[in-house]
């Protein structure tokens, strides 16, 4: 049985699609190691509530 997608489901799907495209672009330009490291670092920032606290010199 298939259910209707909610607006939240559709929004999440859009973010996953954007993440997939960004990941593919990063791999193409800088390789898998960089791409995985960048995504892990982003996850760490989220876990540590550091999102939006970008430090600039």
């Amino acid at each position: 049985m298939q259910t209707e997608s909610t607006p939240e489901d559709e929004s999440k799907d859009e973010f996953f699609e954007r993440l997939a495209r960004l990941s593919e672009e990063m791999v193409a330009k800088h390789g898998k190691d960089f791409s995985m490291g960048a995504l892990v670092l982003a996850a760490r920032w989220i876990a540590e509530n550091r999102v939006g606290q970008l430090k600039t010199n």
Side-chain angles (χ1 to χ4, degrees), residues 1-48:
M1 178 160 80
Q2 196 172 17
T3 61
E4 291 264 336
S5 292
T6 65
E8 182 177 1
D9 291 335
E10 292 175 8
S11 175
K12 288 177 181 180
D13 287 345
E14 290 173 12
F15 277 110
F16 277 122
E17 289 174 15
R18 289 170 57 191
L19 277 170
R21 286 192 304 271
L22 177 60
S23 298
E24 290 171 354
E25 184 180 342
M26 289 192 304
V27 169
K29 288 187 178 185
H30 300 292
K32 287 182 181 181
D33 289 340
F34 167 80
S35 303
M36 288 186 294
L39 293 169
V40 168
L41 183 58
R44 182 175 173 185
W45 286 346
I46 292 168
E48 294 174 356

